[in-house]
């Protein structure tokens, strides 16, 4: 039974990592550089949701729009101020720049929210028991939400006009531009989707554990490992 309980925990953690890895894969496939600030975008999203929970008294799931707004805002700001001017440079330059963005975001979170760990809500959740297996209600939200998001993203990429344009950009950006696809608009849409995925992953991570300024950074290595696999 201990093995089954560990499998449950692994599925929950794997769901969070999967959302982060999909965002990293989208950025790399279209922009052709490894975005090392992705983990800290997750952190910004999680703290954005915490702001919504604190201001409105809602659950973390309801506060996810706050997380997405915060994460998308910092991602687009980094794109406009830093990544876009450096896009013609070597990909290594962009990679190193993303390290700088990660440090800036992490320090900003520490300055605003402080270095101490935080939680969305205090108290003890009453878990569901299936024999010897214990599952928290949040775990159902995390796994179910991840499945819904992945299915929705698959339908978006395979059925929608913008999704097909993003796939064309991933295959050959120059040919996509010649074909009339608005490249920069697709880049912005990529950032929005990747940031939204990172925000949701950050909220799910905060629901499963706690919030702290390095929460996304600590998960970055498993995210990149999952993206590579």
């Amino acid at each position: 039974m201990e093995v089954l309980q560990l499998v449950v925990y692994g599925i929950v953690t794997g769901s969070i990592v999967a959302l982060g890895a999909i965002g990293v894969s989208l950025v790399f496939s279209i922009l052709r550089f490894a975005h090392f600030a992705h983990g800290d975008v997750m952190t910004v999203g999680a703290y954005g949701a915490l702001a919504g929970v604190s201001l409105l008294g809602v659950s973390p799931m309801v506060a996810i729009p706050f997380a997405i707004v915060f994460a998308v805002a910092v991602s687009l700001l980094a794109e406009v101020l830093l990544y876009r001017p450096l896009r013609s440079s070597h990909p290594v330059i962009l990679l190193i720049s993303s390290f700088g963005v990660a440090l800036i975001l992490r320090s900003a979170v520490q300055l605003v929210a402080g270095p101490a760990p935080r939680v969305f809500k205090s108290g003890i959740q009453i878990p569901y028991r299936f024999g010897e297996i214990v599952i928290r209600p949040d775990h159902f939200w995390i796994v179910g939400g991840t499945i819904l998001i992945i299915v929705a993203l698959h339908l978006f990429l395979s059925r929608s006009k913008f999704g097909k344009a993003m796939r064309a950009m991933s295959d050959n950006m120059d040919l996509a531009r010649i074909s009339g696809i608005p490249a920069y608009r697709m880049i912005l849409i990529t950032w929005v989707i990747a940031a939204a995925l990172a925000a949701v992953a950050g909220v799910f991570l905060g629901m499963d554990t706690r919030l702290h300024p390095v929460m996304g950074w600590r998960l970055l290595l498993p995210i990149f490992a999952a993206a590579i696999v």
Side-chain angles (χ1 to χ4, degrees), residues 142-156:
I142 292 171
V143 176
T146 299
I147 293 172
L148 288 177
I149 291 171
I150 291 176
V151 171
L153 182 62
H154 170 74
L155 293 175
F156 171 78

Side-chain angles (χ1 to χ4, degrees), residues 21-39:
I22 293 171
V24 167
S25 299
L26 283 174
V27 173
F28 183 81
S29 62
I30 293 179
L31 302 180
R32 296 294 189 271
F33 81 99
H35 189 225
F36 276 86
H38 196 76

Side-chain angles (χ1 to χ4, degrees), residues 91-106:
V92 174
I93 303 298
L94 284 168
L95 185 150
I96 295 173
S97 300
S98 69
F99 268 114
V101 173
L103 292 173
I104 293 171
L105 295 180
R106 202 174 317 144

Side-chain angles (χ1 to χ4, degrees), residues 96-149:
I96 295 173
S97 300
S98 69
F99 268 114
V101 173
L103 292 173
I104 293 171
L105 295 180
R106 202 174 317 144
S107 300
V109 170
Q110 289 179 344
L111 286 173
V112 175
R118 307 282 292 274
V119 293
F120 284 124
K121 54 184 177 180
S122 58
I124 300 175
Q125 290 188 7
I126 300 176
Y128 299 103
R129 291 187 176 274
F130 302 91
E132 297 296 326
I133 301 175
V134 178
I135 303 178
R136 288 164 44 198
D138 283 347
H139 290 168
F140 286 105
W141 286 109
I142 292 171
V143 176
T146 299
I147 293 172
L148 288 177
I149 291 171

Side-chain angles (χ1 to χ4, degrees), residues 5 23 29 39 48 54 71 74-75 80 86-87 92 96 106 108 132 151 158 161 167-168 172-173 176 178 193-194 228:
Q5 187 67 59
S29 62
S54 302
V74 298
S75 295
V80 172
L86 295 176
R87 183 152 296 127
V92 174
I96 295 173
R106 202 174 317 144
E132 297 296 326
V151 171
S158 60
K161 177 182 177 181
R167 290 164 57 197
N172 192 318
M173 184 175 291
I178 294 174
I193 295 175
I228 292 170

